[in-house]
């Protein structure tokens, strides 16, 4: 394909405006700044771009020196999915923890504080919250990222999260439309399919999105999933019936529609990223998220040129591309006005007592311990962490567990990490006479993990079990602690319970 080099005509500027590209490094490369000057309206940040809050603030200031109203997007759900705290674990519990408490005011306060911290760093577009109803307990990619499996609960917390985040001047992006909760496949790897009928989709998947729209969500992210009841041929991201017919016309949504990462295999393997980008904009999407796996100038130019070529060939109406670009600029304008109107720190303590660490408060409220009247540990235990591979949305680089938090309360705590190749004998030998604290993550999805726990509990009935994913229906162990997520604050809250330390 011939590369377009002018970068100044309206068609080319519109094609750049609809892209949300990532990049490598902790400062903006020259090519990115140059493209912003040519019309690029959005930039995406990932964990690879973050070392500290002050560094992110300097980076976003560098971007805004080129364009004051640039959208800076990030995937900061809190909980397991964090980018600002990718190397330490999040200061906020995730959606399942908030849903387990079921206090919408708490969810609103957590989202408000998260939004305030993003705004302080210059980030103004957050790809959150997840509005997926986790109706399939074996879902490999949603799980604790959902508020729960109850539709009404998910709807009220989705609305509260949107309201809290946007009160801090950060645009919410409710995802993954029309709902990723009933899938058994991760769309990062392949195309998921939901075979539910229209009645089920209307009564379950779409309810939280209706609530988000009513709450004023500034953007919605599409899912790379096939729903034959809505479109037999194309996944939601590429479907005019779903994005334009359902989301725009039937649900009346007027905000920005963003795609999930266009390089994810559900799209890239079947269509290619250039064709996928053109089809997504034609279907009704307004912005193309790209850069989780692709982060170079060449990718941006390929997608820009594919859009321009599609317009010139009559495959993509120029008016549709112009409309998409206008919606991106409109959202950029909203965030720009919100940033200028806000006072530093104004949203930080609204709805909470002065000095309150709202994330830790929420994590403590989310912890469930069975039996309630357990005897706390007084001697340093052995922490055995059973670690499944993290999904791509979470990432392998974010630490999780309770060992460090427990060691702070019970010095001399020892720890070991075990995968599917580990054996109960390995754990028993390493633990010696110490009480074993077995830390798991979605035990119900990993048979090897369940077998390890079965053997440990048979040999050592005094074993404490900490579930940091979706909890079991039936608790087990001398003490069973469910944190409803693996954020750093969830680990601290669990450690406090085990050691009998009051978090009040």
């Amino acid at each position: 394909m011939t590369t377009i080099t002018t970068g100044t005509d309206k068609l080319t500027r519109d094609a750049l405006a609809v892209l949300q590209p990532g990049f490598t490094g902790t400062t903006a490369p020259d090519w990115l700044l140059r493209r912003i000057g040519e019309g690029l309206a959005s930039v995406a940040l990932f964990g690879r771009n973050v070392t500290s809050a002050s560094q992110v603030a300097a980076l976003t200031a560098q971007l805004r020196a080129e364009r004051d109203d640039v959208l800076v997007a990030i995937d900061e759900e809190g909980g397991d999915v964090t980018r600002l705290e990718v190397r330490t674990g999040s200061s906020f519990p995730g959606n399942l923890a908030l849903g387990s408490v079921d206090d919408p005011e708490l969810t609103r306060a957590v989202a408000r504080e998260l939004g305030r911290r993003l705004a302080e760093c210059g980030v103004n577009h957050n790809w959150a919250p997840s509005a997926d109803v986790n109706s399939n307990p074996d879902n490999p990619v949603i799980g604790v990222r959902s508020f729960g499996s109850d539709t009404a609960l998910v709807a009220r917390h989705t609305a509260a999260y949107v309201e809290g985040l946007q009160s801090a001047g950060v645009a919410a992006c409710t995802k993954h439309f029309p709902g990723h909760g009933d899938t058994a496949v991760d769309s990062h790897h392949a195309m998921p399919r939901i075979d539910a009928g229209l009645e089920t989709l209307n009564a379950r998947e779409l309810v939280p999105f209706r609530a988000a729209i009513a709450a004023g969500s500034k953007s919605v992210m599409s899912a790379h999933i096939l729903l034959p009841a809505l479109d037999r041929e194309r996944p939601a991201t590429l479907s005019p019936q779903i994005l334009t017919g359902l989301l725009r016309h039937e649900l009346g949504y007027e905000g920005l529609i963003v795609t999930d990462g266009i390089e994810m295999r559900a799209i890239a393997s079947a269509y290619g990223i250039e064709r996928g980008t053109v089809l997504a904009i034609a279907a009704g999407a307004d912005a193309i998220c790209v850069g989780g796996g692709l982060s170079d100038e060449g990718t941006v130019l390929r997608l820009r040129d594919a859009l321009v070529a599609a317009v010139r060939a009559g495959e993509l109406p120029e008016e549709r591309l112009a409309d998409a670009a206008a919606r991106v600029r409109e959202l950029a304008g909203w965030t720009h006005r919100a940033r200028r109107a806000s006072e530093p720190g104004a949203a930080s303590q609204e709805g909470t007592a002065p000095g309150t660490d709202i994330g830790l408060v929420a994590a403590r409220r989310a912890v469930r311990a069975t039996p309630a009247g357990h005897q706390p540990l007084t001697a340093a235990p052995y922490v055995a962490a059973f670690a499944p591979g993290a999904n791509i949305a979470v990432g392998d680089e974010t630490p999780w567990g309770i060992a460090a938090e427990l060691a702070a309360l019970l010095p001399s705590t020892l720890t070991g990490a075990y995968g599917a190749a580990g054996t109960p004998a390995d754990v028993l030998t390493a633990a010696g006479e110490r009480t074993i604290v077995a830390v798991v993550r979605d035990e119900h999805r990993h048979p090897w993990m369940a077998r390890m726990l079965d053997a440990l509990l048979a040999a050592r009935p005094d074993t404490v079990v900490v579930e940091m994913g979706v909890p079991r229906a039936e608790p087990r162990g001398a003490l069973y602690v469910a944190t409803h997520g693996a954020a750093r604050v969830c680990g601290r809250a669990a450690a406090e319970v085990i050691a009998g330390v009051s978090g009040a």
Side-chain angles (χ1 to χ4, degrees):
M1 182 179 293
T2 301
T3 300
I4 298 165
T5 58
T6 61
T8 56
D9 64 277
K10 183 179 185 302
L11 178 57
T12 304
R13 293 181 69 83
D14 284 349
L16 278 173
V18 302
L19 304 179
Q20 285 195 338
F23 60 96
T24 56
T26 55
T27 59
D30 289 343
W31 71 260
L32 184 66
L33 299 176
R34 185 168 61 254
R35 299 306 169 191
I36 291 173
E38 294 175 359
L40 188 69
S42 305
V43 174
L45 301 185
F46 297 88
R48 61 175 178 255
N49 306 121
V50 176
T51 59
S52 68
S54 59
Q55 170 265 321
V56 175
L59 169 58
T60 58
Q62 186 185 13
L63 297 172
R64 291 202 167 88
E66 294 295 325
R67 178 176 182 147
D68 197 33
D69 67 345
V70 67
L71 278 174
V72 180
I74 200 167
D75 198 2
E76 185 61 45
E77 299 176 12
D80 290 29
V81 179
T82 179
R83 304 295 179 246
L84 283 185
E85 298 181 280
V86 66
R87 290 168 179 80
T88 61
S90 182
S91 300
F92 301 92
N95 284 4
L96 187 63
L98 296 171
S100 72
V101 178
D102 195 14
D103 178 353
E105 287 304 317
L106 178 67
T107 295
R108 189 174 287 107
V110 167
R112 181 186 302 120
E113 177 62 14
L114 178 59
R116 184 191 69 81
R117 295 191 192 184
L118 289 172
E120 280 190 342
C121 294
V123 177
N124 53 14
H125 188 199
N126 190 14
W127 296 324
S130 168
D132 308 296
V133 179
N134 199 51
S135 54
N136 183 350
D138 293 326
N139 195 313
V141 68
I142 302 301
V144 296
R145 300 168 65 197
S146 167
F147 289 110
S149 58
D150 179 87
T151 299
L153 179 147
V154 173
R156 60 179 171 266
H157 286 275
T158 295
Y161 195 106
V162 167
E163 292 165 354
L165 187 66
Q166 293 186 170
S167 72
V170 175
C173 185
T174 306
K175 62 188 185 186
H176 307 82
F177 185 83
H180 211 312
D182 192 20
T183 58
V185 172
D186 184 345
S187 52
H188 289 90
H189 302 299
M191 182 76 74
R193 177 185 174 115
I194 296 179
D195 285 312
L198 283 174
E199 184 176 351
T200 298
L201 293 174
N202 274 296
R204 187 179 64 190
E205 270 74 15
L206 296 181
V207 173
F209 289 96
R210 290 190 182 100
I213 292 168
S217 184
K218 294 295 181 180
S219 63
V220 167
M221 177 175 282
S222 67
H224 304 331
I225 55 177
L226 189 66
L227 300 100
L230 299 173
D231 189 329
R232 293 182 177 276
E233 302 296 328
R234 292 183 178 177
T237 292
L238 311 183
S239 170
Q241 294 96 310
I242 294 175
L243 296 190
T244 299
L246 176 59
L247 183 54
R248 286 283 187 225
H249 296 161
E250 186 174 334
L251 301 187
Y253 180 64
E254 294 295 334
L256 188 76
I257 300 176
V258 185
T259 71
D260 208 343
I262 203 69
E263 75 277 11
M264 291 163 63
R265 291 182 186 172
I267 299 297
S269 294
Y271 299 90
I273 62 169
E274 294 95 335
R275 183 64 177 158
T277 292
V278 170
L279 291 175
I281 297 296
D286 305 305
I288 306 295
C289 168
V290 58
L294 299 172
S295 54
D296 60 290
E297 181 180 20
T299 298
V300 173
L301 297 180
R302 284 164 57 198
L303 299 184
R304 178 201 68 180
D305 293 354
L307 290 166
V308 171
V311 170
R312 290 177 175 169
E315 298 173 356
L316 173 65
E318 186 171 359
E319 295 79 8
R320 170 77 277 271
L321 180 61
D323 174 65
R327 290 179 188 274
V328 173
R329 296 176 186 124
E330 181 179 352
L331 181 58
W334 179 87
T335 59
H336 180 61
R337 293 189 297 273
R339 178 169 59 91
R340 293 174 67 90
S342 64
E343 298 179 4
S348 60
Q349 303 299 339
E350 184 182 346
T352 61
T356 297
D357 185 343
I358 191 63
L360 183 56
V361 168
R364 286 168 174 160
R365 289 182 63 183
V367 166
R368 302 288 183 270
T370 307
H374 68 282
Q375 290 296 317
L377 297 187
T378 56
Y382 180 76
V383 178
F386 300 131
N391 67 57
I392 292 177
V394 174
D396 288 314
E397 67 270 41
T398 304
W400 70 282
I402 68 166
E405 301 291 347
L406 198 52
L409 301 176
L410 297 173
S412 300
T413 292
L414 298 179
T415 186
Y418 301 87
T423 68
D426 295 334
V427 180
L428 293 169
T429 299
E433 298 301 314
R434 293 169 181 256
T435 298
I436 297 171
V437 178
V439 185
V440 297
R441 197 170 181 177
D442 287 342
E443 178 210 339
H444 68 284
R445 292 200 304 109
H446 303 283
W448 68 266
M449 204 180 289
R451 288 193 297 269
M452 289 279 280
L453 282 185
D454 289 341
L456 287 179
L457 291 170
R460 295 286 299 272
D462 63 334
T463 295
V464 174
V465 178
V466 180
E467 172 60 83
M468 303 195 78
V470 178
R472 289 171 57 93
E474 295 296 330
R476 59 177 177 159
L479 172 66
Y480 183 81
V481 181
T483 63
H484 302 93
R488 176 173 50 82
V489 287
C490 295
R492 177 172 170 182
E496 291 172 351
V497 169
I498 293 168
V501 175
S502 173

